[in-house]
């Protein structure tokens, strides 16, 4: 335990980390046991769910407010003293957004083993980012990703270009997360979409307004612990109950084998059996492209990279990257078990079963709008009979008749497995925590880049510290409001917007970041041209693919890349466009470094240096003028 003296800026979450987080885990375990007991005693499920959600949100906001800071280093870098393990937790929480938490299980359910390409790509990308960027970024003493590039290249133009890319993509991803959070609360709690978005924006503002990156660090640590319990406990209990394995990953083989056996033997499941094979409905080239796309998009995520800047040293930053890889891997390799057990439930309890024998959760899912049978919500036996016809009374349903919402596969897993409602509430809270953690990381990336790089470094370098922190907090509120309003716009293509942001980071920043971190001969102008080339190429291809050559939607002249078309049809657009943009960025960096001469710049620097050192009399005259001003 540290002996740091207490003051208003003492980070007691670092000084007393084991005590605080041990107490937090104990309270979390006690709360789960209490909710299970209350559920057994017959307390209404709505009260249990709202109590679980309200308690977790109060805890997150309390941690954020308690970790406030009045110093720039605490606000922008969390004091630069976050231990590696907790830094890895915060980085994993920032990376594992609600999309990973909820949608990857649906990918494994519909694609089978082919979805392992996403998991492998994510882990390869995070490993590459940690290996190539963690130590150099921390050694640079930078405050943000743009600041790292500007320090290495000594170029205000590079700082401006990198800042604009980071801020634009951060806004896109933040709007996507707000939109996703609003959809989750609308589907599961029945709240209006706007209320869900507004509530999430308000919670993020309360968490971060006082402490900035310090508040982000410790709220993300708490959110990771909640996500860990919410995601792993229910599936662990189900795996142990079904197959006797203490770890859910060990039960995957048995569950997948049971799914294949039923799907291959039952004619009603035969059309879907192909998706359970090694490649599913994809060609091997598509899966290689998916793996590469996921890896490249995971290397240069600023809200993950900037976690390395909060480490005490370069060695600690490297250890943080290893903890990040471990914690993220635990989540990602558990997702296939969710998919296998969920498919097993559908095959055993729904496919081929008489209408009167369907379990109760079918109708509760249908009433919530998350389960459709034969294209209609499964709200009652009469509605199912009307949609599917008389065959449901004789041969039952087929797997192709069932459409289970992607987020419901994970969130309602405990209900389908017959576990206590406390676990259903816990999973929902985990999904909310995943959205809040990613949103807070992205928000601090926007605020740190806008306040430090643009305002402090480029526009107003002499602003006092107090006004600088006030401006950063006002920037935070404005960013939250703008992202929430953007997320509220109707008919927003959030999926395309998210993939565009990831592609811009991969094409606009990733080649320059890797080259700058590992090579000392990179010059500002080639780096700037590379960033512009990657960004412009991807934006052009995105516009042509979405609107066509005359920039009008559905005009019939939209550009459709032939490569990786199956991935686009599966809901993952811009794969080919991102590869082309990354190639353009990398080629521009190499060619510009080779072709642009350095002699003129070297000569100019040489003349300036000569002018400075060949006039010693001016230096002596200036020193003589200052001598009388020195204290006696």
């Amino acid at each position: 335990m540290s002996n740091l003296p207490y003051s208003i800026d003492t980070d007691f979450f670092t000084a007393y980390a084991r005590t605080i987080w041990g107490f937090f885990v104990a309270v979390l375990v006690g709360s789960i046991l209490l909710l299970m007991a209350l559920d057994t005693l017959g307390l209404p499920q709505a009260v249990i769910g709202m109590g679980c959600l309200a308690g977790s949100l109060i805890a997150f906001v309390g941690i954020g407010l308690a970790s406030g800071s009045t110093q720039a280093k605490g606000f922008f870098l969390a004091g630069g003293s976050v231990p590696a393990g907790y830094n890895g937790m915060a980085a994993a929480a920032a990376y594992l957004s609600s999309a990973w938490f909820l949608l990857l299980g649906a990918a494994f359910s519909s694609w089978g083993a082919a979805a392992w390409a996403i998991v492998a790509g994510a882990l390869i990308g995070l490993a590459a980012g940690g290996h190539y960027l963690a130590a150099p970024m921390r050694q640079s003493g930078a405050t943000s990703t743009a600041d790292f590039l500007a320090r290495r290249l000594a170029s205000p133009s590079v700082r401006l270009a990198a800042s604009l890319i980071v801020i634009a993509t951060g806004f896109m991803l933040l709007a996507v997360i707000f939109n996703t959070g609003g959809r989750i609360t609308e589907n599961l709690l029945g709240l209006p979409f706007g209320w869900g978005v507004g509530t999430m924006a308000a919670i993020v503002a309360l968490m971060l307004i006082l402490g900035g990156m310090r508040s982000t660090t410790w709220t993300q640590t708490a959110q990771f612990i909640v996500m860990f319990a919410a995601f792993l406990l229910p599936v662990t209990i189900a795996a142990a109950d079904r197959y006797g394995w203490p770890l859910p990953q060990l039960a995957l083989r048995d569950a997948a084998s049971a799914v294949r056996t039923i799907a291959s033997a039952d004619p009603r499941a035969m059309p879907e059996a192909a998706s359970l094979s090694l490649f599913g409905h994809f060609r091997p080239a598509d899966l290689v492209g998916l793996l590469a796309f996921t890896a490249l998009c995971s290397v240069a995520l600023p809200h993950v990279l900037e976690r390395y800047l909060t480490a005490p040293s370069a060695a600690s930053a490297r250890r943080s990257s290893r903890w990040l890889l471990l914690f993220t891997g635990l989540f990602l390799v558990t997702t296939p078990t969710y998919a296998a057990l969920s498919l097993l439930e559908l095959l055993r309890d729904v496919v081929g079963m008489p209408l009167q024998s369907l379990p109760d959760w079918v109708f509760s899912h249908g009433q919530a709008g998350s389960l459709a049978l034969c294209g209609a919500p499964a709200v009652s036996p009469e509605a199912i009979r009307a949609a599917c016809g008389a065959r449901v009374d004789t041969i039952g349903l087929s797997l192709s008749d069932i459409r289970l919402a992607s987020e419901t596969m994970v969130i309602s897993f405990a209900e389908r497995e017959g576990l206590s409602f406390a676990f259903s509430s816990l999973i929902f809270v985990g999904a909310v925590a995943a959205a809040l953690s990613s949103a807070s990381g992205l928000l601090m990336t926007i605020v740190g880049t806008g306040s430090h790089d643009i305002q402090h470094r480029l526009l107003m370098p002499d602003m006092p510290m107090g006004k600088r922190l006030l401006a950063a907090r006002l920037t935070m509120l404005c960013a939250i409001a703008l992202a929430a309003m953007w997320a509220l716009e109707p008919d927003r293509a959030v999926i395309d917007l998210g993939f565009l942001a990831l592609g811009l980071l991969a094409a606009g920043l990733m080649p320059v970041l890797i080259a700058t971190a590992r090579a000392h001969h990179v010059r500002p102008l080639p780096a700037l041209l590379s960033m512009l080339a990657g960004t412009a190429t991807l934006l052009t291809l995105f516009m042509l693919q979405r609107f066509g050559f005359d920039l009008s939607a559905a005009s019939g002249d939209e550009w459709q890349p032939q490569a990786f078309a199956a991935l686009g049809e599966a809901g993952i657009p811009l794969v080919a466009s991102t590869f082309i943009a990354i190639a353009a960025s990398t080629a521009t960096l190499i060619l510009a470094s080779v072709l642009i001469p350095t002699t003129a710049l070297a000569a100019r620097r040489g003349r300036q240096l000569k002018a400075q050192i060949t006039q010693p009399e001016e230096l002596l005259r200036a020193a003589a003028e200052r001598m009388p001003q020195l204290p006696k």
Side-chain angles (χ1 to χ4, degrees):
M1 185 178 295
S2 174
N3 294 320
L4 293 175
Y6 179 79
S7 69
I8 191 173
D9 268 302
T10 297
D11 189 359
F12 55 89
F13 284 92
T14 298
Y16 308 102
R18 292 185 179 181
T19 302
I20 292 174
W21 296 112
F23 177 75
F24 183 85
V25 171
V27 170
L28 178 62
V29 173
S31 301
I32 295 172
L33 295 176
L34 176 62
L35 292 175
M36 293 175 63
L38 294 175
D39 184 40
T40 304
L41 295 175
L43 191 70
Q45 293 183 350
V47 176
I48 294 176
M50 293 306 297
C52 186
L53 178 61
S56 63
L57 294 181
I58 291 173
F60 297 154
V61 172
I63 292 171
L65 295 177
S67 52
S69 177
T70 60
Q71 296 180 354
K73 189 173 183 180
F75 190 88
F76 293 110
L77 291 175
S81 59
V82 183
Y86 299 104
N87 216 8
M89 288 186 190
Y95 181 76
L96 292 168
S97 65
S98 52
W100 284 108
F101 195 85
L102 299 177
L103 301 182
L104 187 58
F108 272 101
S109 177
S110 58
W111 298 355
W116 279 108
I118 301 178
V119 175
L123 296 180
I124 291 173
L126 292 177
H131 176 73
Y132 287 106
L133 299 174
M137 290 190 70
R138 181 59 187 87
Q139 288 170 345
S140 69
T143 302
S144 65
T145 304
D147 191 32
F148 166 70
L149 291 174
R151 284 171 179 259
R152 282 298 183 97
L153 300 175
S155 171
S157 300
V158 170
R159 183 187 298 275
L160 178 60
S163 299
L164 293 178
I165 294 175
V166 169
I167 291 175
T169 54
F171 266 115
M172 293 180 192
L173 293 174
L174 188 58
V176 170
I177 291 175
F178 281 164
N179 187 286
T180 304
R183 297 297 180 194
I184 292 174
T185 55
E186 181 183 32
N187 293 336
L188 298 177
L189 297 182
L191 294 176
F193 173 71
W195 281 88
V197 173
T199 302
M200 180 171 290
I203 294 297
V204 172
L206 288 174
M207 288 193 307
L208 307 187
I209 191 66
L210 292 184
M213 182 59 84
R214 179 178 288 174
S215 296
T216 301
T217 299
W218 298 120
T219 54
Q220 284 178 337
T221 302
Q223 286 153 1
F224 175 82
I225 295 173
V226 172
M227 291 163 56
F228 191 87
F231 198 69
L232 294 182
L233 278 181
V235 72
T236 300
I237 295 173
D241 180 63
R242 284 182 177 274
Y243 301 106
W245 291 107
L247 296 177
Q249 295 84 2
L250 300 178
L252 175 60
R253 180 177 179 181
D254 294 336
S257 177
V259 168
R260 291 190 186 94
T261 300
I262 297 175
S264 301
D266 193 337
R268 289 174 291 272
M270 282 301 293
E272 282 72 28
S275 65
L276 303 175
S277 63
L278 179 60
F279 299 115
H281 299 294
F282 300 103
R283 298 174 303 172
D286 292 323
L287 296 185
V288 172
L290 179 59
L291 186 150
F293 176 78
T294 309
L296 292 172
C297 290
S298 300
V299 171
L301 296 174
H303 60 293
V304 175
L305 294 180
E306 291 177 10
R307 294 250 44 103
Y308 302 138
L309 303 177
T310 64
S313 63
S316 180
R318 285 192 293 266
R319 289 194 299 271
S320 299
S321 69
R322 299 187 192 110
W323 282 113
L324 163 64
L325 200 62
L326 173 64
F327 292 139
T328 305
L330 281 176
F331 271 81
L332 298 184
V333 300
T334 306
T335 307
T337 309
Y338 267 99
L341 292 178
S342 297
L343 271 176
L344 196 59
E345 285 289 333
L346 293 177
L347 291 171
R348 286 180 173 177
D349 297 341
V350 179
V351 174
M353 298 299 294
L355 191 59
Q356 63 273 14
S357 300
L358 293 178
D360 294 337
W361 59 260
V362 171
F363 305 108
S364 63
H365 284 21
Q367 292 168 2
S370 57
L371 177 62
L373 298 178
C374 303
V379 295
S380 64
E382 293 74 17
I384 297 175
R385 187 178 290 108
C388 301
R391 64 183 175 88
V392 295
D393 293 316
T394 56
I395 63 173
L397 295 164
S398 67
L399 191 59
S400 59
D401 296 328
I402 304 171
R403 289 295 178 267
L404 186 65
S406 55
E407 65 272 9
T408 307
M409 179 168 293
V410 173
I411 288 182
S412 300
F413 176 82
E415 179 183 356
R416 294 194 303 273
E417 291 290 331
L419 301 179
S420 171
F421 184 75
F423 290 105
S424 296
S425 302
L426 184 64
I427 293 175
F428 174 70
V429 170
V432 173
L436 291 175
S437 61
S438 293
S440 59
L442 288 166
L443 181 62
M444 272 313 301
T445 296
I446 296 171
V447 172
T449 303
S451 178
H452 176 79
D453 290 287
I454 293 183
Q455 181 191 52
H456 177 60
R457 290 295 185 184
L458 295 178
L459 299 179
M460 292 176 281
D462 298 326
M463 177 178 285
M465 186 59 63
K467 292 184 178 180
R468 183 184 169 196
L469 291 178
L470 176 61
R473 291 183 170 98
L474 293 176
T475 302
M476 179 184 296
L477 296 177
C478 292
I480 293 174
L482 290 174
M485 288 190 294
W486 198 1
L488 284 172
E489 288 190 21
D491 301 326
R492 174 70 64 192
V494 292
I495 299 297
D496 289 349
L497 196 66
F499 279 105
L500 175 62
L502 295 175
L504 288 174
L505 290 172
L509 283 184
M510 190 266 297
V512 175
L513 277 172
I514 298 295
T516 304
R518 287 297 173 177
H520 298 285
H521 60 275
V522 178
R523 290 175 286 133
L525 184 56
L528 181 62
L529 293 176
S530 173
M531 296 163 65
L532 295 177
T535 304
T537 301
L538 185 61
L539 287 176
T540 302
L541 294 177
F542 174 77
M543 297 295 290
L544 292 178
Q545 191 171 346
R546 186 171 178 83
F547 300 105
F549 294 94
D550 54 2
L551 298 183
S552 60
S555 59
D557 58 354
E558 291 84 2
W559 174 69
Q560 298 296 332
Q562 299 299 318
F564 311 114
L567 297 179
E569 295 173 358
I572 303 179
L574 296 180
V575 176
S577 301
T578 302
F579 288 159
I580 295 173
I582 293 174
S585 176
T586 305
T588 301
L589 179 62
I590 296 173
L591 292 176
S593 299
V594 173
L595 298 178
I596 294 179
T598 60
T599 54
L601 182 60
R604 181 181 177 184
R605 289 180 176 175
R607 286 195 302 271
Q608 291 176 348
L609 183 61
K610 184 177 179 180
Q612 292 175 0
I613 65 176
T614 55
Q615 302 295 333
E617 64 277 5
E618 295 185 6
L619 297 177
L620 294 175
R621 188 183 306 113
E625 292 174 354
R626 291 181 177 274
M627 285 294 293
Q629 302 175 5
L630 297 177
K632 301 294 184 181

